[in-house]
Amino acid sequence: KQWYQRRVRGNETVVSNVIRRVLKIIREENEGPDATSFSEGLAIFFRSDSKSSTIGRKDLQDNILNSIVELLAEQENSQSNIISMALEHIHANELILTYGHSNTVREFLLHGRKKRNFRVVVCESGPSLIGHKMAKELSEGGIETTLIADSAAFAIIHAVNKVIIGTHTIMADGALRAPNGAHQITLAAEHFSVPVIVCAALYKLSPTHLCSYDQDAFNKMIGPENMLNFSNTKLHSKVLVSNPEFDYVPSDLIELFITNTGGHAPSYLYRIVSELYHPLDNDLDNMCVEELDDENT
């Protein structure tokens, strides 16, 4: 009953995506003309007192566990697989712009620095200013790095060869739930026809579709402490501060996704979604409700 907690927030999509991958594994291992139903397959895997299926409880558990081990290995190696493609996308004497702080993007750029000389412009990414950390780490790695204010991105992006960013979530249609401020960077890049490349592992690819106007489901509001000085208590009583953590970036602003399985255009992601997830597992909240209803009847 507790294999999925409905209290998991919609914006923590990696947790939901991994659950969907495991459910897909159970469905595939339990399919066939003599296989049990999906709910019985779950019972066989999680309960020691469940009835044996036609392929045998022990065999089913072993097959599922082996597949989960392969899934874990895929996720552990995802960043290294992305990094290994850096030299295919970074060329000598390029000027690259990035936004926010992404471990994958950082290692991607540092790997490219081993055989390429290029420069990087980092936006400071207000109000959190995590771009300062990114600029420091790239500079320490031997990359010529320039830190700029977010408002200066439009003025400099015409000289940039490409934009490379990370993201929190990739939507099924290729849109992004990216760090707040990323939308303005991608809009500026589109204006000057600068390609935008997103580095992200496939465990961030979600089968769901979310829209920017549905802020309750899409976004996450965080505290205003990095925007306001709490010492000014008189001001706080008169001001309501909205500080969203994410930006919605439409898929038509993205040129290429670099994932652990290679480079993919946004229009191809629907195919990957169908390979990774079963359509019945897309809405996990409704699955929980239906499962509880079945057990109560």
Side-chain angles (χ1 to χ4, degrees):
K1 295 180 181 180
Q2 304 299 325
W3 57 270
Y4 177 70
Q5 298 290 339
R6 292 193 65 195
R7 69 173 181 266
V8 173
R9 293 180 60 87
N11 51 49
E12 301 302 334
T13 51
V14 171
V15 177
S16 301
N17 293 342
V18 173
I19 291 174
R20 292 185 181 100
R21 292 288 300 273
V22 173
L23 293 177
K24 177 77 178 295
I25 288 172
I26 296 175
R27 291 182 187 277
E28 290 179 343
E29 296 295 342
N30 194 45
E31 66 184 3
D34 298 324
T36 62
S37 66
F38 175 61
S39 58
E40 291 173 345
L42 282 175
I44 290 171
F45 181 64
F46 288 110
R47 300 174 183 171
S48 59
D49 59 345
S50 60
K51 297 180 181 179
S52 297
S53 68
T54 55
I55 63 175
R57 173 179 170 272
K58 186 66 170 63
D59 292 339
L60 178 60
Q61 283 188 333
D62 290 343
N63 293 339
I64 292 174
L65 289 174
N66 290 335
S67 298
I68 291 177
V69 169
E70 294 177 0
L71 174 60
L72 291 174
E74 173 192 325
Q75 294 183 350
E76 290 174 356
N77 297 326
S78 59
Q79 187 180 80
S80 60
N81 291 338
I82 294 173
I83 293 170
S84 65
M85 292 179 276
L87 296 178
E88 300 177 17
H89 301 278
I90 298 177
H91 305 98
N93 303 319
E94 282 191 328
L95 180 61
I96 298 172
L97 185 141
T98 188
Y99 183 89
H101 182 278
S102 167
N103 292 331
T104 301
V105 173
R106 180 196 64 211
E107 296 302 321
F108 186 84
L109 295 172
L110 291 175
H111 184 77
R113 177 63 182 84
K114 294 179 180 180
K115 294 187 178 181
R116 302 279 195 275
N117 289 321
F118 58 92
R119 295 173 296 150
V120 176
V121 175
V122 181
C123 297
E124 64 179 0
S125 312
S128 64
L129 303 181
I130 55 176
H132 290 240
K133 180 181 178 182
M134 185 70 160
K136 181 176 182 293
E137 292 172 350
L138 293 178
S139 179
E140 291 175 347
I143 299 176
E144 183 181 343
T145 307
T146 303
L147 181 68
I148 64 171
D150 297 341
S151 57
F154 189 85
I156 197 175
I157 203 167
H158 68 91
V160 169
N161 296 103
K162 58 175 63 79
V163 175
I164 302 179
I165 60 174
T167 186
H168 182 275
T169 306
I170 306 173
M171 302 287 100
D173 59 350
L176 304 181
R177 182 193 280 119
N180 187 23
H183 189 207
Q184 68 173 358
I185 301 299
T186 55
L187 284 174
E190 181 193 36
H191 182 79
F192 290 102
S193 300
V194 176
V196 177
I197 298 175
V198 178
C199 295
L202 285 181
Y203 58 73
K204 292 187 176 183
L205 176 60
S206 173
T208 58
H209 296 77
L210 296 177
C211 299
S212 59
Y213 55 78
D214 187 10
Q215 290 295 315
D216 290 338
F218 173 81
N219 222 321
K220 177 181 179 181
M221 297 298 171
I222 57 179
E225 63 273 5
N226 54 9
M227 302 176 63
L228 291 177
N229 187 350
F230 280 116
S231 61
N232 192 347
T233 56
K234 294 182 179 180
L235 175 64
H236 293 174
S237 62
K238 301 177 182 179
V239 176
L240 178 63
V241 179
S242 178
N243 188 15
E245 186 174 4
F246 304 115
D247 257 358
Y248 177 84
V249 180
S251 59
D252 56 0
L253 299 180
I254 308 302
E255 179 79 14
L256 182 70
F257 288 95
I258 300 179
T259 72
N260 46 296
T261 60
H264 305 291
S267 59
Y268 185 74
L269 292 183
Y270 78 95
R271 179 67 180 271
I272 301 178
V273 168
S274 65
E275 294 174 355
L276 295 181
Y277 309 115
H278 193 282
L280 295 179
D281 301 330
N282 287 352
D283 193 345
L284 292 178
D285 284 349
N286 287 340
M287 280 189 64
C288 291
V289 174
E290 293 173 0
E291 194 74 23
L292 291 174
D293 290 341
D294 292 341
E295 292 184 2
N296 293 331
T297 56

